[in-house]
Structure formats: C-alpha cells, structure tokens
Amino acid sequence: MTSRRKFIGLGIGAAVLPGLAQAAEWSSMGWTQAGEFGRLPLYKAIYEKAYVPAQGFAARMQQRGVVIHGIDADITGVWFNDLALQWRRRPVAIAGLTAPAALFCLEQLAWDHRMRVAFRATHMQHSDGTIEHRIQAPQTLAPQIRPSLDAEPGWGASMADLAMHCPLPGTSVATELAVDTRVVVDDVAVEPLVSWVIAPVNSA
Amino acid sequence: MANPPGVSQQDFSAALQAFADAVGEEWVFSSDEDVALYRDAHSPFWGEENELVASAAVAPDNVEEVQQVMRIANRYQIPMFPFSTGRNLGYGGSAPALSGSVVLDLKRMNRVVEVSERNAYALVEPGVSYFDLYRYIQDHDLKLMMDVPGPGWGSPIGNALDHGGGMTPYRDHFQAHCGMEVVLANGELLRTGMGAMPGAETWQQFKYGIGPDLDGIFSQSNYGVVTKMGFWLLPEPEVVRTVSVIAPRHDDAGPLMEILSNLSYSGVIDSYFSIRSPVLHGPRNAEFDALRARGSAATAAEWDRHAASRNLKFWQASLTFYGPEELVDARWRHVRERYSAIPDIEFDDGATYRFPMTAEEREQTAEKGALGIPSLDTFTGRSAQNQDVADGHIGFFVVVPMTGEGVLDSLKVLGHEFAQSNAGVTLGTFGSFHLRTIMLVCMLRTSRTDPEQNRLTRIAYERAVNLAAEHNWGTYRTHNGFMDFVLSKYSFNDNALSRFHATLKDAVDPNGILSAGRYGIWPKSMRGSA
C-alpha cells in the first residue's frame, strides 16, 4: 500500500496575494510575484520574547498581518489555550522563531493532526560573532535564502519573509543550505534558535 | 517498507488490506514518510541499525475496531505494538520493542468516558492525554485535582501502565487506577474488578471484584490492549503547601531518612517528597572530586568541612501537603516537632496555594506538577534534569532503601560512576513517586545528530544498571532497547520471574502477536533467539 498523502496548506483556501507595494518590495529581493506562488496564510506566528532576532521575526510577521504570540520558552499556554482547540477543529499553518524545545513539542503535537514541518532553519551563534544558518526548505525558496539573510533589518525578519513564502502543495523539502553571516552581537543566545513552519498534510 | 519479522509480503499486504477494511483506509499507514512519525524521538539508537522501528501503523477509533485488528493480526501472525499517546519519551515512545512490528496507534480513542465529581474518579480511553482530562475537568467546573507526570501530553493510561508517578496523594498512577477494560490477543473483551459484574456502579470504586486481582499483569507487559481505565482523583483541596526541611551535616542523612520514612509510613506525609544534597548534587570542584573518588574512605567530617567551605547545607527534603488548611498546619507542625531532634535543623515554610485558583494563577505558577496542572515546561530549557532539550534523554531511576545509608551510598557510588563517564549524565534528586519508595533520578542524554553521544550513553546506562545491581538496587522502568538486559537483574531462583512471565504469555497470547519483547516477555516462537 502506498501513501496518497500530499503536502499542502489544507483548508486555508487560496493563497493570500500581496498588495502592489509589498509585491514591489519582494520583487526587489528576487521573490517571485504573486501568481506563480503566493504567500502561505499563517494562523499565528510564535516567537521567543527573550531574543532580538525573534522579536524582529515577530515584528515582520505583524507587519504582514499575521497574528503573533510571544512565549517565555514554554509553549504550554499557546498550545493548550489555542492550538489544541484550533487544530482539533481544523489544521492550520503556523510559523515561529523559537528555541528548539518549542519546535520539538509543537512538531510532536502537530503529527497527531497530520501536520508536518514544511520549513526548518537552525541558527547557531558562534563566539566569533558569526551566526551559522542551516536551512531545510523547499527548492523553490533557495534563490531567496542568501540575499534575504543579509537584508535589513536583520535575519529574524528575513526568516519571517521566508516562512511566509513557504510554497503551497507539491513541493517537498529538498534543499539544505548552510550560510554564515557576520553580525554585530548584542544579543547572545544561550542555545541555538530555530525558525520553522508547520503546515497540514492533505489526505486526498 | 520492510515486512514484520517472520511475515511474508503476501500475508503482510493482505493484513494491511484487512486492517484498512476494519478501520478505514485513511487510518492505515505504511508509507516511509508516515511510518517515520512513529520513531522514538529520544532513541539512544537513532539512525543506527539497532534502532527499533515500526513497519506500519493502524489507528482504530473504538473498542470494536481494536478487537477486529487483534483477530486480523492473529490470522496473519502480525506482531503488533499498541501505544496510547506515544509520548513515553525516554522509554521508547511510540516505537515498538520488536523492530518491524505494526504499531497500534490508540490516539483516536480519546474519549473521556465519565468523570464523577461526587465519587472523585475518571474513566478514560487510552488516547486521552492529561491535557484532555484537565480540560474536561475545567470546562465542567469540577472540583477535582488530577495527578500529573512531567509532560502533560502523555496518557493517564499509558503512564500508569508503565508505573509512572506524580506528586499528589494519588502520585502512584498505577496504584491510583481502579478498573480496566482490556482487549485480549484473541480479540476477546475483558473487564476487571467490579467491571466484570454487568451494570455495577462500583467499577471505579472497588479494585478487586472477586478472585485474583488481574490488573497488574497488564502493566509493563504484553498480555492485552487496555481500552479503558478508571482513575481515582483528589477532591480539590482547600490548600496545597510546599515546604522544606534542611539539615546541615553529612551524617544527618540517617535521622533525616528515619523520620521521613516513619512519617511517610504513618500517613503524616502522604504525597510526593524529594531529597537532594546541595553538596553531593552541587557543582563539582577538585576537592569534591577527590572526596568522592575515595568512596567510603572519605569521612563525614571531611565532607562537612567541604560543605562548610562552600557555605552549603548537606540535605534538603521537600514535602507537599494537601487538604484543609487546619490539617495541613497540623501536619507541618508535627513534622517540625519530629525533626527538631536533629541539631541545627532548619525549616522553610515555602508556599501555600489556595483553591479555587484563578486561570491566571494556574497559568503563572511555577509548581504546576504539585497542583495537578499539566504542562510542557519540562521542555523549556536546560536544567539539571534536562541538559539538552533539543534532543532527548533516557531515564535511569534507581530504587534504593529509604535509609540514610541508601541515600548516601547510592549518591556517592553512582555519582562517582557518572563522573567518570563521558556521556554527560545528570544525577538528579531522590523522589518518592510511589508509596513507601524513593528513587534516585538520573537522566542520560540522547542525540539525533551525534551517534557517539548515543554510544557513550548506552555504555553508561548498562554500566549503571550493572553497578546498581551489584548493590542490590534495581530500576523500575526502562527503555525498549534495554528490557531484556534490565529484566536479567531480577534473577531470583534462576529467573523464576521471567519463566512465569513466559508461561502467562503462552497462555494468553499463544501466537505472540502483542508487543513481543516488552519488558523481556517474548512469545514462544522467539524465545532463545531474542
């Protein structure tokens, strides 16, 4: 017996199309215009309040109209009070920039609702000031990854852009990149951070 | 997709189709991508040839479907491995004990069948998580408190069947259960205790029914699939109080444990307590390492001088009381009176929590476990018990005598052993998760990216089990990958226990289709080759 499962954003209808100004900005960064693929509608973006890149991630998400939720390491509240109820009604895509533990928990819980991690990036800060980004993403995002990491206002916001452009159905995770960026370190993360998207699986 | 061991491709394909006919095609999973979700996220064999993995998964929705699945499995001799919510991380998770088994995913069976506030019990299916039961209790505004283990995503049934524990007076989760419904390997449905009397309203009140008390054989075993289980709950207390007793010297361990044991046996302390040594659990330095390396040759006076140099008291016992405030006050007063016999003893009155709590209080408290509130805060970051949350751990909980010698010897012996190991073992506190019992909690790291870490962890675990057995200390629970090894330490009378397990197995599951290898119990066809 073979699986008939495909990877899509189940139940979220058509992709959200950008406005003209937004499309222009994305175009300047090399993002494909809406129509080829659009933005993945996200129910919520979760971010680790303690870390500056995560704050940047959240700010970008909020700017793009995504509801944000900050955590202090513990995902229990957003899980129990929100996602557990929502995913039981209807699986919806979420994104985040958090410590690895939060993604571990949400990924485990998402499997129960036939959802998968569609995008995963690990950000490891080294003592010499570099940050190593290891990104597992659909092949179609590959051209945007390096330029977006160097873009202002910072890689946290860039991860938000990448997450929002995580493609819709049919694209499997096929690319893994390692990129080092040199940043001015004024916020040292104790542990690696992760950016991620969790989205539903289609059973059709 | 590999076939289960001993099963032909033809039979496996036919069985999968029969499963699909029974539960619906969308609830049978055989693609590599789907089956990979059932890997043990904390496996100490991750990515290696010995990693225990499933061949397929079946997710029934109700008891009748479970019965059909068992009959199909018997017909085609398919090894099955049932799990509740599959979150037994540190002990195997949703991965089978026999690689290639078809996992029986019971998460869809997630009904809270009944909760009685008046009689303070719940009856649940295996897919109900602690979060689910807690939500039910809150949504119905029931004045009941659950007992919860570390992470709240586990199953009360799954946790109890693996002898897990928590903190309240109902902390021994298996002991706190009352009544089971079980699907046997041949598909027959059994109810235990008063459940065997049709219509009895006391199924969740009186455990024993009539005749032999069978429930224990379904725990840490492979004799049946539990499809319902009752649990006693605590009526919401007026207060919960967490306190501490602090003793300054090395040799205070003796009287500390003697008094604690007596208070526990007499019911004055009737819930979880822990013992830790700020000195022996504390940060190491050269003097500490030298003292511990000398073992019994290091004197109490030397240890006391070391503690004084670091401005540390030697022992801290943390206790929790539940109930009406006047009774809690009386118990704590009595405990202080008993411990006043130890010179220079100190007491910390800790915190008192009053019920009902507001939603905000429940969300913000740092002591969710003691208050019966499920949480995932155990995953929130590095701690003494959880060095690397990004990957995982296996648990090594050692049952030691409730004496000063038991506490001191196990801390020093295992502490020294783990200090020599490169596996990064975390030596935790002593916890009383079960009645009349303390265990030394140890966590060994696992990794999904570092096979060398896993190799060191496996070595450290086996050395620790062997060393503990040399001192007549046993572990109460173990990972799928070590079950035969751990059971081999329970060898009284030429392994009479293991032989009896096998006798039962042959009687209730002659085809050996259920959880082969779980806790070292193998079907006849696999004994000797396992």
mmCIF file of all heavy atoms in Angstrom, chain B residues 214-248:
data_model
loop_
_atom_site.group_PDB
_atom_site.id
_atom_site.type_symbol
_atom_site.label_atom_id
_atom_site.label_comp_id
_atom_site.label_asym_id
_atom_site.label_seq_id
_atom_site.Cartn_x
_atom_site.Cartn_y
_atom_site.Cartn_z
ATOM 1 N N LEU B 214 -6.333 -9.144 38.606
ATOM 2 C CA LEU B 214 -5.567 -9.327 37.369
ATOM 3 C C LEU B 214 -4.867 -8.079 36.863
ATOM 4 O O LEU B 214 -3.966 -8.162 36.038
ATOM 5 C CB LEU B 214 -6.509 -9.805 36.252
ATOM 6 C CG LEU B 214 -7.122 -11.185 36.399
ATOM 7 C CD1 LEU B 214 -8.018 -11.473 35.203
ATOM 8 C CD2 LEU B 214 -6.052 -12.259 36.515
ATOM 9 N N ASP B 215 -5.292 -6.926 37.335
ATOM 10 C CA ASP B 215 -4.855 -5.687 36.678
ATOM 11 C C ASP B 215 -3.344 -5.586 36.521
ATOM 12 O O ASP B 215 -2.843 -5.130 35.496
ATOM 13 C CB ASP B 215 -5.366 -4.465 37.446
ATOM 14 C CG ASP B 215 -6.852 -4.281 37.301
ATOM 15 O OD1 ASP B 215 -7.550 -5.270 37.000
ATOM 16 O OD2 ASP B 215 -7.341 -3.154 37.500
ATOM 17 N N GLY B 216 -2.618 -6.037 37.528
ATOM 18 C CA GLY B 216 -1.166 -5.879 37.468
ATOM 19 C C GLY B 216 -0.531 -6.554 36.275
ATOM 20 O O GLY B 216 0.487 -6.087 35.757
ATOM 21 N N ILE B 217 -1.114 -7.635 35.786
ATOM 22 C CA ILE B 217 -0.453 -8.342 34.685
ATOM 23 C C ILE B 217 -0.528 -7.559 33.376
ATOM 24 O O ILE B 217 0.181 -7.875 32.422
ATOM 25 C CB ILE B 217 -1.003 -9.767 34.468
ATOM 26 C CG1 ILE B 217 -2.423 -9.739 33.880
ATOM 27 C CG2 ILE B 217 -0.943 -10.578 35.739
ATOM 28 C CD1 ILE B 217 -2.829 -11.076 33.301
ATOM 29 N N PHE B 218 -1.392 -6.532 33.349
ATOM 30 C CA PHE B 218 -1.466 -5.730 32.121
ATOM 31 C C PHE B 218 -0.545 -4.508 32.178
ATOM 32 O O PHE B 218 -0.526 -3.718 31.230
ATOM 33 C CB PHE B 218 -2.917 -5.316 31.856
ATOM 34 C CG PHE B 218 -3.824 -6.488 31.629
ATOM 35 C CD1 PHE B 218 -4.787 -6.838 32.564
ATOM 36 C CD2 PHE B 218 -3.685 -7.279 30.499
ATOM 37 C CE1 PHE B 218 -5.614 -7.940 32.369
ATOM 38 C CE2 PHE B 218 -4.503 -8.388 30.289
ATOM 39 C CZ PHE B 218 -5.468 -8.716 31.220
ATOM 40 N N SER B 219 0.181 -4.347 33.270
ATOM 41 C CA SER B 219 1.122 -3.233 33.360
ATOM 42 C C SER B 219 2.522 -3.727 33.038
ATOM 43 O O SER B 219 2.874 -4.850 33.381
ATOM 44 C CB SER B 219 1.089 -2.620 34.756
ATOM 45 O OG SER B 219 1.623 -3.508 35.712
ATOM 46 N N GLN B 220 3.299 -2.890 32.377
ATOM 47 C CA GLN B 220 4.657 -3.241 31.957
ATOM 48 C C GLN B 220 4.701 -4.656 31.383
ATOM 49 O O GLN B 220 5.546 -5.476 31.753
ATOM 50 C CB GLN B 220 5.658 -3.084 33.116
ATOM 51 C CG GLN B 220 5.958 -1.634 33.412
ATOM 52 C CD GLN B 220 7.192 -1.424 34.288
ATOM 53 O OE1 GLN B 220 7.814 -2.367 34.769
ATOM 54 N NE2 GLN B 220 7.562 -0.170 34.510
ATOM 55 N N SER B 221 3.780 -4.930 30.474
ATOM 56 C CA SER B 221 3.688 -6.282 29.928
ATOM 57 C C SER B 221 3.115 -6.233 28.521
ATOM 58 O O SER B 221 3.012 -5.180 27.910
ATOM 59 C CB SER B 221 2.798 -7.140 30.828
ATOM 60 O OG SER B 221 1.437 -6.769 30.649
ATOM 61 N N ASN B 222 2.727 -7.419 28.046
ATOM 62 C CA ASN B 222 2.167 -7.529 26.699
ATOM 63 C C ASN B 222 1.073 -8.587 26.673
ATOM 64 O O ASN B 222 1.032 -9.440 25.777
ATOM 65 C CB ASN B 222 3.278 -7.850 25.688
ATOM 66 C CG ASN B 222 4.146 -9.038 26.117
ATOM 67 O OD1 ASN B 222 3.767 -9.797 27.012
ATOM 68 N ND2 ASN B 222 5.298 -9.192 25.471
ATOM 69 N N TYR B 223 0.184 -8.508 27.675
ATOM 70 C CA TYR B 223 -0.864 -9.514 27.779
ATOM 71 C C TYR B 223 -2.218 -9.041 27.286
ATOM 72 O O TYR B 223 -3.172 -9.821 27.282
ATOM 73 C CB TYR B 223 -0.987 -9.971 29.245
ATOM 74 C CG TYR B 223 0.270 -10.615 29.789
ATOM 75 C CD1 TYR B 223 0.783 -10.247 31.034
ATOM 76 C CD2 TYR B 223 0.953 -11.595 29.070
ATOM 77 C CE1 TYR B 223 1.936 -10.831 31.545
ATOM 78 C CE2 TYR B 223 2.104 -12.190 29.571
ATOM 79 C CZ TYR B 223 2.588 -11.805 30.809
ATOM 80 O OH TYR B 223 3.731 -12.391 31.303
ATOM 81 N N GLY B 224 -2.323 -7.789 26.877
ATOM 82 C CA GLY B 224 -3.606 -7.295 26.399
ATOM 83 C C GLY B 224 -3.520 -5.833 26.024
ATOM 84 O O GLY B 224 -2.525 -5.165 26.326
ATOM 85 N N VAL B 225 -4.545 -5.342 25.346
ATOM 86 C CA VAL B 225 -4.619 -3.932 24.954
ATOM 87 C C VAL B 225 -5.657 -3.258 25.850
ATOM 88 O O VAL B 225 -6.852 -3.563 25.763
ATOM 89 C CB VAL B 225 -5.031 -3.789 23.475
ATOM 90 C CG1 VAL B 225 -5.048 -2.316 23.077
ATOM 91 C CG2 VAL B 225 -4.097 -4.586 22.570
ATOM 92 N N VAL B 226 -5.201 -2.357 26.705
ATOM 93 C CA VAL B 226 -6.119 -1.683 27.623
ATOM 94 C C VAL B 226 -6.883 -0.603 26.869
ATOM 95 O O VAL B 226 -6.274 0.305 26.296
ATOM 96 C CB VAL B 226 -5.359 -1.076 28.810
ATOM 97 C CG1 VAL B 226 -6.317 -0.317 29.721
ATOM 98 C CG2 VAL B 226 -4.637 -2.172 29.584
ATOM 99 N N THR B 227 -8.208 -0.701 26.876
ATOM 100 C CA THR B 227 -9.023 0.243 26.103
ATOM 101 C C THR B 227 -9.837 1.189 26.983
ATOM 102 O O THR B 227 -10.434 2.137 26.481
ATOM 103 C CB THR B 227 -9.975 -0.527 25.170
ATOM 104 O OG1 THR B 227 -10.666 -1.518 25.931
ATOM 105 C CG2 THR B 227 -9.198 -1.200 24.053
ATOM 106 N N LYS B 228 -9.880 0.932 28.269
ATOM 107 C CA LYS B 228 -10.457 1.876 29.223
ATOM 108 C C LYS B 228 -9.781 1.639 30.569
ATOM 109 O O LYS B 228 -9.384 0.514 30.887
ATOM 110 C CB LYS B 228 -11.979 1.677 29.406
ATOM 111 C CG LYS B 228 -12.848 2.120 28.232
ATOM 112 C CD LYS B 228 -14.316 1.947 28.564
ATOM 113 C CE LYS B 228 -15.192 2.277 27.353
ATOM 114 N NZ LYS B 228 -14.976 1.347 26.228
ATOM 115 N N MET B 229 -9.707 2.694 31.342
ATOM 116 C CA MET B 229 -9.109 2.566 32.658
ATOM 117 C C MET B 229 -9.692 3.650 33.543
ATOM 118 O O MET B 229 -9.901 4.793 33.094
ATOM 119 C CB MET B 229 -7.588 2.717 32.553
ATOM 120 C CG MET B 229 -6.776 2.104 33.647
ATOM 121 S SD MET B 229 -5.099 1.784 33.006
ATOM 122 C CE MET B 229 -4.203 1.592 34.536
ATOM 123 N N GLY B 230 -9.991 3.279 34.800
ATOM 124 C CA GLY B 230 -10.513 4.239 35.755
ATOM 125 C C GLY B 230 -9.394 4.772 36.629
ATOM 126 O O GLY B 230 -8.418 4.066 36.909
ATOM 127 N N PHE B 231 -9.519 6.018 37.045
ATOM 128 C CA PHE B 231 -8.519 6.633 37.917
ATOM 129 C C PHE B 231 -9.200 7.387 39.049
ATOM 130 O O PHE B 231 -10.161 8.122 38.826
ATOM 131 C CB PHE B 231 -7.637 7.616 37.134
ATOM 132 C CG PHE B 231 -6.739 6.937 36.155
ATOM 133 C CD1 PHE B 231 -7.105 6.789 34.829
ATOM 134 C CD2 PHE B 231 -5.524 6.405 36.572
ATOM 135 C CE1 PHE B 231 -6.277 6.134 33.933
ATOM 136 C CE2 PHE B 231 -4.689 5.745 35.674
ATOM 137 C CZ PHE B 231 -5.074 5.604 34.356
ATOM 138 N N TRP B 232 -8.669 7.205 40.255
ATOM 139 C CA TRP B 232 -9.135 7.992 41.384
ATOM 140 C C TRP B 232 -8.526 9.383 41.304
ATOM 141 O O TRP B 232 -7.344 9.549 41.003
ATOM 142 C CB TRP B 232 -8.719 7.321 42.689
ATOM 143 C CG TRP B 232 -9.437 6.023 42.929
ATOM 144 C CD1 TRP B 232 -10.657 5.643 42.441
ATOM 145 C CD2 TRP B 232 -8.968 4.934 43.737
ATOM 146 N NE1 TRP B 232 -10.976 4.387 42.893
ATOM 147 C CE2 TRP B 232 -9.975 3.931 43.692
ATOM 148 C CE3 TRP B 232 -7.825 4.704 44.504
ATOM 149 C CZ2 TRP B 232 -9.850 2.715 44.377
ATOM 150 C CZ3 TRP B 232 -7.696 3.504 45.175
ATOM 151 C CH2 TRP B 232 -8.703 2.527 45.112
ATOM 152 N N LEU B 233 -9.366 10.366 41.592
ATOM 153 C CA LEU B 233 -8.919 11.759 41.579
ATOM 154 C C LEU B 233 -9.044 12.334 42.982
ATOM 155 O O LEU B 233 -9.815 11.835 43.811
ATOM 156 C CB LEU B 233 -9.762 12.583 40.601
ATOM 157 C CG LEU B 233 -9.803 12.079 39.153
ATOM 158 C CD1 LEU B 233 -10.780 12.917 38.325
ATOM 159 C CD2 LEU B 233 -8.424 12.121 38.526
ATOM 160 N N LEU B 234 -8.306 13.397 43.243
ATOM 161 C CA LEU B 234 -8.335 14.047 44.552
ATOM 162 C C LEU B 234 -9.395 15.150 44.541
ATOM 163 O O LEU B 234 -9.379 16.004 43.647
ATOM 164 C CB LEU B 234 -6.968 14.656 44.842
ATOM 165 C CG LEU B 234 -6.740 15.297 46.210
ATOM 166 C CD1 LEU B 234 -6.732 14.233 47.302
ATOM 167 C CD2 LEU B 234 -5.424 16.075 46.222
ATOM 168 N N PRO B 235 -10.327 15.130 45.467
ATOM 169 C CA PRO B 235 -11.208 16.293 45.578
ATOM 170 C C PRO B 235 -10.352 17.548 45.776
ATOM 171 O O PRO B 235 -9.372 17.523 46.527
ATOM 172 C CB PRO B 235 -12.047 15.987 46.821
ATOM 173 C CG PRO B 235 -12.016 14.500 46.928
ATOM 174 C CD PRO B 235 -10.657 14.089 46.441
ATOM 175 N N GLU B 236 -10.699 18.588 45.080
ATOM 176 C CA GLU B 236 -9.872 19.804 45.147
ATOM 177 C C GLU B 236 -9.668 20.223 46.600
ATOM 178 O O GLU B 236 -10.639 20.464 47.332
ATOM 179 C CB GLU B 236 -10.559 20.924 44.363
ATOM 180 C CG GLU B 236 -9.716 22.170 44.174
ATOM 181 C CD GLU B 236 -10.446 23.197 43.321
ATOM 182 O OE1 GLU B 236 -11.285 23.939 43.892
ATOM 183 O OE2 GLU B 236 -10.197 23.238 42.108
ATOM 184 N N PRO B 237 -8.415 20.306 47.044
ATOM 185 C CA PRO B 237 -8.172 20.614 48.454
ATOM 186 C C PRO B 237 -8.386 22.093 48.746
ATOM 187 O O PRO B 237 -8.444 22.928 47.839
ATOM 188 C CB PRO B 237 -6.704 20.232 48.635
ATOM 189 C CG PRO B 237 -6.099 20.428 47.283
ATOM 190 C CD PRO B 237 -7.178 20.118 46.289
ATOM 191 N N GLU B 238 -8.441 22.414 50.011
ATOM 192 C CA GLU B 238 -8.519 23.823 50.408
ATOM 193 C C GLU B 238 -7.187 24.508 50.130
ATOM 194 O O GLU B 238 -7.149 25.618 49.605
ATOM 195 C CB GLU B 238 -8.869 23.921 51.896
ATOM 196 C CG GLU B 238 -9.107 25.349 52.376
ATOM 197 C CD GLU B 238 -9.419 25.393 53.866
ATOM 198 O OE1 GLU B 238 -9.893 24.383 54.424
ATOM 199 O OE2 GLU B 238 -9.182 26.450 54.474
ATOM 200 N N VAL B 239 -6.106 23.819 50.479
ATOM 201 C CA VAL B 239 -4.772 24.382 50.224
ATOM 202 C C VAL B 239 -3.807 23.286 49.805
ATOM 203 O O VAL B 239 -4.012 22.107 50.087
ATOM 204 C CB VAL B 239 -4.176 25.106 51.464
ATOM 205 C CG1 VAL B 239 -5.070 26.233 51.945
ATOM 206 C CG2 VAL B 239 -3.877 24.136 52.578
ATOM 207 N N VAL B 240 -2.750 23.698 49.151
ATOM 208 C CA VAL B 240 -1.572 22.868 48.909
ATOM 209 C C VAL B 240 -0.385 23.666 49.429
ATOM 210 O O VAL B 240 -0.260 24.857 49.138
ATOM 211 C CB VAL B 240 -1.372 22.550 47.415
ATOM 212 C CG1 VAL B 240 -0.074 21.767 47.205
ATOM 213 C CG2 VAL B 240 -2.559 21.780 46.862
ATOM 214 N N ARG B 241 0.449 23.006 50.208
ATOM 215 C CA ARG B 241 1.610 23.710 50.770
ATOM 216 C C ARG B 241 2.885 22.931 50.442
ATOM 217 O O ARG B 241 2.938 21.718 50.658
ATOM 218 C CB ARG B 241 1.473 23.880 52.273
ATOM 219 C CG ARG B 241 2.645 24.644 52.923
ATOM 220 C CD ARG B 241 2.379 24.954 54.379
ATOM 221 N NE ARG B 241 1.198 25.789 54.518
ATOM 222 C CZ ARG B 241 0.497 25.903 55.643
ATOM 223 N NH1 ARG B 241 0.843 25.222 56.713
ATOM 224 N NH2 ARG B 241 -0.561 26.686 55.683
ATOM 225 N N THR B 242 3.885 23.626 49.948
ATOM 226 C CA THR B 242 5.195 23.018 49.670
ATOM 227 C C THR B 242 6.197 23.605 50.656
ATOM 228 O O THR B 242 6.309 24.816 50.789
ATOM 229 C CB THR B 242 5.649 23.300 48.237
ATOM 230 O OG1 THR B 242 5.705 24.711 48.019
ATOM 231 C CG2 THR B 242 4.675 22.714 47.223
ATOM 232 N N VAL B 243 6.908 22.725 51.353
ATOM 233 C CA VAL B 243 7.820 23.141 52.442
ATOM 234 C C VAL B 243 9.132 22.385 52.329
ATOM 235 O O VAL B 243 9.246 21.442 51.557
ATOM 236 C CB VAL B 243 7.186 22.861 53.826
ATOM 237 C CG1 VAL B 243 5.889 23.633 54.006
ATOM 238 C CG2 VAL B 243 6.942 21.366 53.994
ATOM 239 N N SER B 244 10.089 22.792 53.121
ATOM 240 C CA SER B 244 11.385 22.106 53.112
ATOM 241 C C SER B 244 11.939 21.948 54.516
ATOM 242 O O SER B 244 11.694 22.780 55.393
ATOM 243 C CB SER B 244 12.414 22.888 52.280
ATOM 244 O OG SER B 244 12.062 22.925 50.933
ATOM 245 N N VAL B 245 12.703 20.867 54.678
ATOM 246 C CA VAL B 245 13.474 20.618 55.894
ATOM 247 C C VAL B 245 14.937 20.580 55.470
ATOM 248 O O VAL B 245 15.286 19.866 54.520
ATOM 249 C CB VAL B 245 13.079 19.269 56.527
ATOM 250 C CG1 VAL B 245 13.934 18.990 57.751
ATOM 251 C CG2 VAL B 245 11.593 19.241 56.859
ATOM 252 N N ILE B 246 15.780 21.353 56.147
ATOM 253 C CA ILE B 246 17.182 21.492 55.732
ATOM 254 C C ILE B 246 18.092 21.055 56.877
ATOM 255 O O ILE B 246 18.022 21.594 57.989
ATOM 256 C CB ILE B 246 17.484 22.954 55.342
ATOM 257 C CG1 ILE B 246 16.555 23.365 54.188
ATOM 258 C CG2 ILE B 246 18.946 23.122 54.934
ATOM 259 C CD1 ILE B 246 16.133 24.796 54.216
ATOM 260 N N ALA B 247 18.900 20.043 56.601
ATOM 261 C CA ALA B 247 19.801 19.503 57.625
ATOM 262 C C ALA B 247 21.247 19.781 57.218
ATOM 263 O O ALA B 247 21.607 19.580 56.060
ATOM 264 C CB ALA B 247 19.579 17.997 57.774
ATOM 265 N N PRO B 248 22.097 20.217 58.155
ATOM 266 C CA PRO B 248 23.395 20.752 57.747
ATOM 267 C C PRO B 248 24.507 19.739 57.512
ATOM 268 O O PRO B 248 25.437 20.048 56.762
ATOM 269 C CB PRO B 248 23.772 21.679 58.900
ATOM 270 C CG PRO B 248 23.075 21.103 60.086
ATOM 271 C CD PRO B 248 21.813 20.495 59.565
#
